[in-house]
Amino acid sequence: MAVGSVFSVAVLISVTCTLPSSWTRRRDYFLSAEEQWWDFVPTQLNLVNNDRSIFDDVVLRGEERIGSVYKKVMIKQYTDATYTKEIRPEPWRGFVGPLLKGEVGDTLYVHFRNLASRPYSLHPHGVQYFKDSEGALYADGTSGSDKFDDQVPPGSTYRYRWYMAKSFAPTADDDNCLPLGYHPHIRSHRDIDTGLIGMMVVCKPGILRPDGSRKDVDKEFVLFADITNETNSWLIEENLNRCQNP
């Protein structure tokens, strides 16, 4: 059995460009930002060494402890623009968002609906895009429709277009697919600590089937490694109220 595993901790550079007139394939993804409670330790067990002493003091909820359950904003995926049928993530993925896939030359149309309580956006790494699909809030000298992507208000939907260019493609010496990341870029560190982070892969031509599955492996695991600072979350005040004596 062939197993493909991709592990990424690197930050890749984004580039703005004019997209080519002919694209090999359009791939649509319907994503949302939604608030929900997340349990970092759902078993309430120390699965490393079964030592309860430090575990009980640090993880369990108490007068001065939030416990293991925090409100997060997570990126979810749906089958279409009705946003009625969610595509459930694999349990091993944690709160990392949906895996987006494309081959060199493909254009991802990412439809993003903000169902959370504050503005968010989606900003990609390692792909090319028009200025109106950058998803980053900063003083860039633009106005009008070029600013709509910067922050999507609660209850609104925005469509991003991201092109998987050859300049960021896997080389002959690389694996068939390479990892990229995407996340909001309003205040990116706070956005990510709040829970909004996802991964993409760009693959060599002919690797993906029409449904997005890979032809070259039987199982695929795309992992994201980071440290979550809950004190930096946009929702820290609400989470502090979970303390029995906040």
Side-chain angles (χ1 to χ4, degrees), residues 78-91:
Y78 290 83
T79 56
D80 54 41
T82 64
Y83 287 88
T84 55
K85 185 177 180 180
E86 182 184 353
I87 299 176
R88 298 285 183 177
E90 302 89 339

Side-chain angles (χ1 to χ4, degrees), residues 56-68 70 231 236 239-246:
D56 289 350
D57 181 57
V58 174
V59 175
L60 297 184
R61 184 183 177 194
E63 288 192 2
E64 299 180 354
R65 293 286 181 183
I66 295 174
S68 62
Y70 288 76
T231 64
I236 181 57
N239 286 322
L240 283 174
N241 287 328
R242 283 187 46 78
C243 294
Q244 295 175 356
N245 184 21

Side-chain angles (χ1 to χ4, degrees), residues 5-237:
S5 62
V6 183
F7 182 83
S8 174
V9 295
V11 176
L12 303 180
I13 300 173
S14 303
V15 173
T16 305
C17 73
T18 300
L19 301 186
S21 57
S22 60
W23 304 331
T24 59
R25 182 187 295 271
R26 167 176 171 164
R27 298 180 187 269
D28 286 87
Y29 288 93
F30 299 90
L31 308 183
S32 68
E34 301 183 29
E35 297 178 3
Q36 71 174 66
W37 295 103
W38 175 260
D39 193 342
F40 283 96
V41 191
T43 64
Q44 294 297 292
L45 298 173
N46 183 348
L47 300 178
V48 177
N49 57 22
N50 204 33
D51 182 359
R52 299 288 308 190
S53 57
I54 299 178
F55 177 87
D56 289 350
D57 181 57
V58 174
V59 175
L60 297 184
R61 184 183 177 194
E63 288 192 2
E64 299 180 354
R65 293 286 181 183
I66 295 174
S68 62
V69 178
Y70 288 76
K71 177 168 279 192
K72 309 289 291 181
V73 182
M74 300 168 63
I75 303 173
K76 296 190 175 185
Q77 182 179 3
Y78 290 83
T79 56
D80 54 41
T82 64
Y83 287 88
T84 55
K85 185 177 180 180
E86 182 184 353
I87 299 176
R88 298 285 183 177
E90 302 89 339
W92 56 262
R93 197 180 301 279
F95 62 77
V96 176
L99 177 62
L100 311 185
K101 297 182 180 181
E103 295 180 346
V104 176
D106 289 353
T107 300
L108 305 188
Y109 281 67
V110 181
H111 310 262
F112 176 59
R113 177 167 294 183
N114 186 0
L115 299 176
S117 58
R118 59 166 290 109
Y120 292 106
S121 66
L122 289 181
H123 169 73
H125 289 258
V127 298
Q128 296 179 336
Y129 44 74
F130 287 116
K131 193 68 179 73
D132 65 0
S133 290
E134 184 178 14
L137 178 63
Y138 62 100
D140 55 9
T142 63
S143 61
S145 60
D146 282 343
K147 299 298 290 182
F148 295 158
D149 61 299
D150 291 1
Q151 50 181 343
V152 181
S156 298
T157 304
Y158 189 83
R159 185 195 69 184
Y160 297 92
R161 290 178 296 167
W162 301 337
Y163 176 63
M164 293 191 155
K166 187 176 181 179
S167 55
F168 291 100
T171 69
D173 295 327
D174 288 323
D175 291 335
N176 286 331
C177 299
L178 293 180
L180 311 167
Y182 67 94
H183 56 82
H185 206 299
I186 296 177
R187 290 183 63 182
S188 57
H189 291 295
R190 294 199 72 175
D191 299 331
I192 293 172
D193 283 331
T194 304
L196 293 133
I197 182 67
M199 295 296 292
M200 300 184 287
V201 291
V202 54
C203 300
K204 297 176 181 179
I207 293 299
L208 299 180
R209 298 185 180 91
D211 65 356
S213 61
R214 290 174 57 170
K215 301 175 183 177
D216 59 331
V217 298
D218 298 310
K219 292 184 180 297
E220 180 181 33
F221 301 91
V222 179
L223 308 178
F224 174 78
D226 198 4
I227 296 174
T228 300
N229 180 4
E230 288 294 343
T231 64
N232 194 43
S233 168
W234 290 110
L235 303 175
I236 181 57
E237 294 299 327

